[in-house]
Amino acid sequence: MSDQYESVIGLEVHVQLKTESKIFCSCPAQFGAEPNQNTCPVCLGLPGSLPVLNERALELAMKVGLALGCRISDRIKFDRKNYFYPDLPKAYQISQYDMPVSSKGHLAIELKSDAGTLAEKRIGITRAHLEEDAGKLLHEGVRDGSWVDYNRAGIPLLEIVSEPDLRSPEEAFQYLVSLKAILQYLGVSDCNMEEGSLRCDANVSIRQKGAAPFGTKVEIKNMNSFRAVHKAIAYEIKRQSEALETGTRIVQETRLWNESKGETFTMRSKEEAHDYRYFPEPDLVPFSVSSDQIEALRKSLPELPQARFERFRKQYGISDYDAYVLVAEKALADYFEACTREGANPKLASNWIQSELLALINLKKHSIKNLPNLPPKHLAGLIRLIENGTISGKIAKDVIVEMYDTKKSAEEIVKEKGLIQVTDTKLLEEVADRVIQANPKVAAEVRSGKAQAIGFLVGQVMKETQGKANPKMINEILTKKITSQK
Ligand code: ADP
Ligand code: MG
Ligand code: ZN
């Protein structure tokens, strides 16, 4: 995008709330049942059936509202949003229009500067309202045309709408990271975009920098990962900037993201946009929640990511960035804290989790939530061996892989394989002499003041000792020997 334009982004996030039953009937809300098994007259919209609000869904929705600093509405009302589509059995969706569960909150996001420090930005939350999910149409892999599965119809959804406060794809990405963290800490949703328990529509417009009015917005749908949201917004900003540059009018429309092509394309234009003819749901009366109940709920909220972030910085003395990365994923933060409880040095634990452990998990396509082979106690054990000099960091990198594959403790592996670090000065001196003799040019470079050349010699000693030497000791021995050989 040329510098003269600024992008304006607002996100609409739908999350499936984790309740036992659906939002307006007692059908199970579980995923994975046989098609149309979890249905009843209410969620199939049969005449004469009446919806009853699931209190648990309301409670989870209010928890999210409170965690986002929203105001819980004095009166809460449901409305019918009318449109015709085969996945919607009643031809209207029960949603909320002008009296949502909560509104006017904010979400803090952390943005990394070029210098690596974090800066906080507050994004306004317009509202968070409850609604029911629709069914699912199956077009592929089925006999004769399209089929419909209404198991998902009536699953409780919370729609969280942001103000148009986001200014870049990266900000939108961080908004999703922060929002997901809060939802996970509250335990209200699985937040899995691939499985559809979290869905995000992005509204994007651009304007002349500094110009007050917003440009015409385009809504993008169909992204199935946070990365895809980032890419789709970046694509859309570029497309709109190019349109403005060539004098093409940007039309208000809904576009779909095509992941394999890396493009958005028109789904429907504003002209075809629905008039939803919202009107109050007559079968559910408006109601209020007492301030006592709201306060009790507020008190019941668990420690939230921002508070945990502050605590991690203070309690463990790790950097802002490290604290942020750990806290953003609840399971990661839990694993880290479990390691420290097992006596691991917090800084080392943070480093080892974020580098070696996460790399291993990604490689094996596992999840930090489920690591039976590497319990926190074992990682803490490995860190202890590094800290007390029993093994070098280099050896530890091999040991962690072995631990991961065998479920053995670090101590066991180190003992079995004889990996204990060589700190025998006499032996190291012998190897150092040999290495210096074999590499006179490099030694001369070190002597002439090119200090970093010593790295090569350290590497050679490491190689001869199969990585078991203590690098700090080798460095000292080599330096001493070379500088004394004037
Ligand atoms: P609509 O009535 O089309 O659904 P809303 O006013 O409800 O529009 O806003 C929907 C989303 O679009 C919100 O997240 C809001 O922040 C965002 N939004 C509104 N105007 C713009 C704009 N000009 N550019 C980008 N996003 C916008
Ligand atoms: Mg809207
Ligand atoms: Zn039902």
Side-chain angles (χ1 to χ4, degrees):
M1 179 169 58
S2 85
D3 280 352
Q4 63 182 123
Y5 299 120
E6 173 180 63
S7 52
V8 172
I9 302 151
L11 298 182
E12 293 169 282
V13 173
H14 288 86
V15 282
Q16 274 181 7
L17 296 177
K18 262 202 277 186
T19 53
E20 294 282 318
S21 52
K22 292 186 179 181
I23 184 168
F24 299 121
C25 62
S26 55
C27 291
Q30 277 71 21
F31 183 77
E34 286 296 305
N36 296 306
Q37 189 185 304
N38 297 343
T39 55
C40 74
V42 174
C43 56
L44 289 176
L46 300 187
S49 62
L50 288 172
V52 177
L53 176 62
N54 178 340
E55 253 186 75
R56 180 80 182 137
L58 174 66
E59 186 186 310
L60 298 184
M62 289 198 295
K63 276 190 175 181
V64 177
L66 291 172
L68 293 172
C70 289
R71 213 189 113 73
I72 305 296
S73 302
D74 291 332
R75 273 186 92 59
I76 296 171
K77 173 169 77 80
F78 286 92
D79 298 274
R80 293 185 177 181
K81 178 178 177 177
N82 298 278
Y83 64 92
F84 180 77
Y85 204 65
D87 64 3
L88 191 69
K90 301 189 291 290
Y92 63 81
Q93 176 194 30
I94 304 181
S95 179
Q96 298 194 285
Y97 188 59
D98 55 344
M99 290 151 80
V101 171
S102 69
S103 59
K104 294 196 173 64
H106 55 81
L107 175 67
I109 63 172
E110 297 289 340
L111 300 164
K112 201 175 174 187
S113 74
D114 294 338
T117 53
L118 293 177
E120 189 186 292
K121 178 175 173 181
R122 266 188 172 204
I123 307 301
I125 300 292
T126 315
R127 54 195 268 142
H129 71 249
L130 275 171
E131 59 189 30
E132 57 179 341
D133 208 345
K136 206 171 192 167
L137 292 175
L138 305 163
H139 308 288
E140 276 155 38
V142 289
R143 241 176 333 111
D144 312 330
S146 295
W147 291 58
V148 63
D149 175 4
Y150 287 123
N151 281 347
R152 207 179 64 182
I155 301 276
L157 294 180
L158 187 69
E159 176 171 348
I160 302 158
V161 183
S162 88
E163 289 289 300
D165 289 346
L166 300 158
R167 291 291 173 269
S168 67
E170 184 56 24
E171 289 188 17
F173 185 89
Q174 292 306 333
Y175 173 91
L176 292 173
V177 169
S178 296
L179 181 61
K180 179 177 171 180
I182 290 180
L183 297 169
Q184 282 183 337
Y185 278 60
L186 292 171
V188 300
S189 175
D190 291 330
C191 296
N192 190 326
M193 264 189 112
E194 271 141 49
E195 285 170 12
S197 58
L198 187 151
R199 292 163 237 164
C200 173
D201 302 336
N203 298 270
V204 182
S205 67
I206 59 170
R207 62 173 171 182
Q208 295 277 343
K209 235 189 193 144
F214 286 153
T216 302
K217 80 171 155 92
V218 163
E219 184 173 354
I220 333 169
K221 292 177 178 289
N222 203 37
M223 293 79 84
N224 72 354
S225 67
F226 289 2
R227 273 284 134 223
V229 174
H230 191 291
K231 283 192 277 182
I233 293 173
Y235 174 87
E236 192 54 29
I237 291 170
K238 186 157 169 280
R239 186 189 72 83
Q240 292 184 19
S241 310
E242 282 166 7
L244 279 199
E245 231 120 68
T246 58
T248 316
R249 193 172 67 97
I250 291 158
V251 287
Q252 184 169 342
E253 60 180 351
T254 302
R255 298 175 72 90
L256 292 183
W257 170 245
N258 182 319
E259 178 72 31
S260 49
K261 286 197 178 147
E263 292 171 4
T264 64
F265 61 94
T266 302
M267 177 177 125
R268 59 169 179 254
S269 69
K270 173 80 171 168
E271 286 69 43
E272 306 160 50
H274 303 284
D275 172 6
Y276 293 122
R277 296 180 299 115
Y278 277 99
F279 68 86
E281 165 60 68
D283 296 334
L284 291 163
V285 289
F287 61 93
S288 303
V289 180
S290 77
S291 50
D292 285 354
Q293 265 176 297
I294 293 171
E295 286 321 305
L297 203 56
R298 196 195 302 278
K299 285 211 186 80
S300 78
L301 296 182
E303 181 183 42
L304 292 170
Q306 249 198 321
R308 199 175 200 187
F309 170 69
E310 293 299 334
R311 183 167 65 76
F312 272 26
R313 292 170 55 207
K314 288 200 193 107
Q315 186 173 339
Y316 301 118
I318 54 179
S319 74
D320 286 9
Y321 185 70
D322 285 346
Y324 176 66
V325 171
L326 291 173
V327 161
E329 188 79 47
K330 181 171 183 294
L332 200 62
D334 289 346
Y335 188 94
F336 165 77
E337 288 219 274
C339 287
T340 63
R341 273 196 302 275
E342 295 289 349
N345 170 311
K347 278 188 193 157
L348 283 175
S350 163
N351 289 344
W352 277 81
I353 289 170
Q354 289 186 51
S355 51
E356 301 307 314
L357 182 59
L358 282 187
L360 265 173
I361 290 173
N362 285 338
L363 186 74
K364 312 254 174 178
K365 297 196 168 25
H366 289 167
S367 152
I368 184 84
K369 279 183 211 148
N370 186 19
L371 286 183
N373 273 7
L374 195 69
K377 192 172 172 200
H378 282 191
L379 187 64
L382 177 71
I383 288 169
R384 209 169 306 119
L385 294 184
I386 303 167
E387 220 184 351
N388 66 22
T390 308
I391 55 171
S392 65
K394 190 167 176 296
I395 290 280
K397 286 183 187 181
D398 296 332
V399 174
I400 194 175
V401 175
E402 178 103 13
M403 291 166 75
Y404 200 99
D405 289 337
T406 63
K407 205 181 176 173
K408 287 183 187 162
S409 73
E411 289 86 344
E412 259 180 286
I413 293 168
V414 166
K415 221 176 268 161
E416 270 175 24
K417 304 212 155 174
L419 296 174
I420 291 174
Q421 182 159 253
V422 179
T423 49
D424 175 346
T425 319
K426 201 156 151 275
L427 189 122
L428 289 180
E429 292 211 357
E430 279 169 27
V431 181
D433 283 336
R434 244 181 288 141
V435 166
I436 292 171
Q437 251 171 28
N439 299 281
K441 269 199 193 140
V442 187
E445 279 178 27
V446 177
R447 210 169 296 125
S448 70
K450 206 175 153 204
Q452 71 268 34
I454 203 161
F456 175 77
L457 299 177
V458 174
Q460 293 305 106
V461 177
M462 273 296 200
K463 211 163 148 193
E464 281 215 24
T465 55
Q466 281 110 42
K468 284 188 256 169
N470 177 323
K472 197 160 154 261
M473 281 179 71
I474 309 174
N475 208 309
E476 283 165 9
I477 291 171
L478 284 168
T479 311
K480 206 165 75 204
K481 284 190 183 291
I482 293 172
T483 45
S484 66
Q485 283 177 352
K486 285 268 180 257

